[in-house]
């Protein structure tokens, strides 16, 4: 069953290799039930040995849909979205649907381009991070006529459905914990807010909670790009040199928080006695640090799971009733760096 020419494989090649008709091969590859098990196995074995992959474009022309789910996320370079993808993949692997990933780097214009290309393939659904999109992206999503699930955030109105946490409430929760622990001089470090809306909402929630206790953020610094651990060390050093009386540092994510923690430990600063710390995301990788960073779990895998389940249910039963808002509740872990429970 060898084949050396470079032309695309066809049903006829599988037919000749398996010794059955092209019509029977087509029925097997479309998973029709009117084929014997022995014939099915013969055809599948021949297709596998040849390396034959069905051309689904023709079928898509008739149905106007392909069995792809567009997953549009800002990044795969941090620890957040791989776990989201794991949740999505676990659900879709039991279906005919396959996820296809596009990366936006938090840039609205890049999101427009990725979304345009994704939708041009007529996917069966779209899972997209965040609720903030350009007007062009919103128009494309509304006009797509397919299930759309916006993930990670519920502070706003979805185009179709949304799954995530309230980042404002998450920020309020950490702000309340900071106040209860007795900290008064707060520094904040995080990603540049115009690009990361969820970090902005956490910051807003925290500052609102602190303000109710008569406390304001005394210093703040923002970054983009580079190694998060190195940035955390660098920003922490600069901030404490600039504002040495700070007694609490809140980081928009765990990775820069870990960099800050390592810097403070290296300098022999008492954590959490002299300075308390907290991050966000509950990154498991950091559990190997000498001290456990206070953090909040963002329910990442569960968000991916719930979003994929909505796509699957809506695809199988377009007229069925499926929740269009799923809000998950993150848990605050005090670790070793935040005085409290």
């Amino acid at each position: 069953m060898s084949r050396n020419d470079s032309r695309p494989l066809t049903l006829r090649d599988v037919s000749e290799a398996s010794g059955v008709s092209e019509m029977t091969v087509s029925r097997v590859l479309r998973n029709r039930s009117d084929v014997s098990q022995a014939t099915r196995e013969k055809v599948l074995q021949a297709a596998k040995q040849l390396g034959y992959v069905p051309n689904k474009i023709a079928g898509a022309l008739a149905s106007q849909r392909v069995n792809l789910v567009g997953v549009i996320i800002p990044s795969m370079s941090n620890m957040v979205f791989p776990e989201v993808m794991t949740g999505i993949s676990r659900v879709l692997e039991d279906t005919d649907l396959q996820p296809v990933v596009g990366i936006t780097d938090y840039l609205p214009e890049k999101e427009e381009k990725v979304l345009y290309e994704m939708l041009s393939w007529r996917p069966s659904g779209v899972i997209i991070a965040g609720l903030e999109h350009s007007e062009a992206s919103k128009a494309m999503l509304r006009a797509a006529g397919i299930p759309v699930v916006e993930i990670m955030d519920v502070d706003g109105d979805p185009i179709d459905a949304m799954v995530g946490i309230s980042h404002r409430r998450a920020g309020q929760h950490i702000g309340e914990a900071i106040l209860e622990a007795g900290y008064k001089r707060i520094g904040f470090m995080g990603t540049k807010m115009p690009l990361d809306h969820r970090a902005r909402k956490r910051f807003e929630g925290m500052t609102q909670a602190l303000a109710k206790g008569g406390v304001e953020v005394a210093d703040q610094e923002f970054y983009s790009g580079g190694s998060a651990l190195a940035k955390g060390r660098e920003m922490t050093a600069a901030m404490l040199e600039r504002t040495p009386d700070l007694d609490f540092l809140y980081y928009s994510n765990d990775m820069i928080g870990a960099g800050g923690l390592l810097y403070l430990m290296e300098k022999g600063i008492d954590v959490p006695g002299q300075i308390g710390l907290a991050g966000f995301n509950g990154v498991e990788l950091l559990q190997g640090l000498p001290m456990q960073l206070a953090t909040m779990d963002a329910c990442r895998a569960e968000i991916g799971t719930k979003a994929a389940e909505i796509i699957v249910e809506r695809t199988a039963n377009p007229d069925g009733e499926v929740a269009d808002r799923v809000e998950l509740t993150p848990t605050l872990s005090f670790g070793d760096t935040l005085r409290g429970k």
Side-chain angles (χ1 to χ4, degrees):
M1 202 178 289
S2 62
R3 180 177 179 275
N4 294 319
D5 61 89
S6 59
R7 65 177 176 78
L9 288 165
T10 65
L11 285 178
R12 176 174 293 180
D13 295 306
V14 182
S15 170
E16 292 175 353
S18 61
V20 301
S21 69
E22 290 182 43
M23 183 175 293
T24 300
V25 170
S26 176
R27 285 175 178 155
V28 170
L29 297 177
R30 285 184 287 126
N31 205 27
R32 291 278 297 272
S33 59
D34 54 348
V35 182
S36 71
Q37 186 60 30
T39 299
R40 182 180 305 278
E41 290 177 0
K42 187 189 300 184
V43 170
L44 292 177
Q45 181 64 22
K48 183 177 181 179
Q49 290 184 350
L50 285 173
Y52 176 77
V53 177
N55 181 351
K56 292 192 174 181
I57 292 177
L61 291 174
S63 67
Q64 294 297 302
R65 292 285 173 260
V66 295
N67 289 338
L68 300 176
V69 175
V71 181
I72 302 173
I73 55 179
S75 171
M76 286 288 277
S77 62
N78 59 35
M79 301 295 171
V80 175
F81 292 100
E83 290 190 35
V84 175
M85 287 304 307
T86 297
I88 293 171
S89 298
R90 282 176 180 165
V91 173
L92 296 187
E93 68 184 6
D94 294 326
T95 73
D96 292 332
L97 301 172
Q98 292 289 331
V100 179
V101 181
I103 306 295
T104 69
D105 296 321
Y106 292 95
L107 299 173
E109 62 274 18
K110 191 168 182 181
E111 182 180 87
E112 283 182 23
K113 182 178 179 181
V114 170
L115 184 58
Y116 180 88
E117 292 298 328
M118 287 276 192
L119 292 176
S120 72
W121 286 96
R122 299 298 187 266
S124 294
V126 168
I127 297 172
I128 185 168
L131 296 170
E132 288 78 18
H133 314 287
S134 70
E135 289 304 316
S137 289
K138 288 179 182 178
M140 285 188 281
L141 289 168
R142 291 191 186 103
I146 56 176
V148 174
V149 183
E150 291 162 283
I151 60 171
M152 311 307 293
D153 194 0
V154 295
D155 293 318
D157 297 318
I159 289 167
D160 184 10
M162 62 182 173
V163 178
I165 68 170
S166 168
H167 288 267
R168 283 201 177 90
R169 275 194 284 278
Q172 289 169 1
H173 194 178
I174 189 64
E176 291 163 358
I178 291 169
L179 289 174
E180 288 174 11
Y183 297 107
K184 300 292 185 183
R185 297 283 293 166
I186 318 301
F188 175 83
M189 284 165 269
T191 51
K192 289 188 176 178
M193 298 305 186
L195 299 178
D196 191 342
H197 295 285
R198 292 174 291 285
R200 171 180 55 80
K201 291 173 184 178
R202 290 196 300 277
F203 178 70
E204 291 170 352
M206 182 192 70
T207 55
Q208 288 167 4
L210 292 176
K212 289 181 180 179
V215 173
E216 295 186 359
V217 173
D219 200 349
Q220 55 191 4
E221 188 165 340
F222 306 96
Y223 80 101
S224 61
S227 165
L229 278 172
K231 284 288 184 182
R233 294 176 68 98
E234 175 187 316
M235 289 193 297
T236 301
M239 184 171 287
L240 291 179
E241 182 176 349
R242 189 167 61 232
T243 318
D245 64 338
L246 295 176
D247 62 6
F248 195 89
L249 302 175
Y250 179 54
Y251 301 84
S252 70
N253 66 67
D254 284 349
M255 296 306 290
I256 55 173
L261 174 59
L262 291 172
Y263 171 80
L264 294 175
M265 292 178 68
E266 181 182 288
K267 296 299 181 182
I269 295 173
D270 177 17
V271 178
Q274 184 179 343
I275 298 181
L277 306 175
F280 184 83
N281 277 327
V283 175
E284 291 184 11
L285 176 68
L286 300 180
Q287 291 179 3
L289 289 174
M291 297 182 70
Q292 293 300 301
L293 181 69
T295 187
M296 188 172 282
D297 173 30
C299 309
R300 299 178 297 279
E302 192 175 358
I303 286 172
T305 297
K306 295 291 186 184
E309 287 174 349
I310 290 174
I311 295 290
V312 171
E313 290 176 26
R314 293 272 300 278
T315 302
N317 185 12
D319 299 322
E321 295 217 2
V322 180
D324 59 5
R325 176 191 171 97
V326 178
E327 180 175 348
L328 304 172
T329 303
T331 302
L332 174 62
S333 170
F334 283 72
D336 302 317
T337 67
L338 173 58
R339 294 194 299 257
K341 299 175 183 177

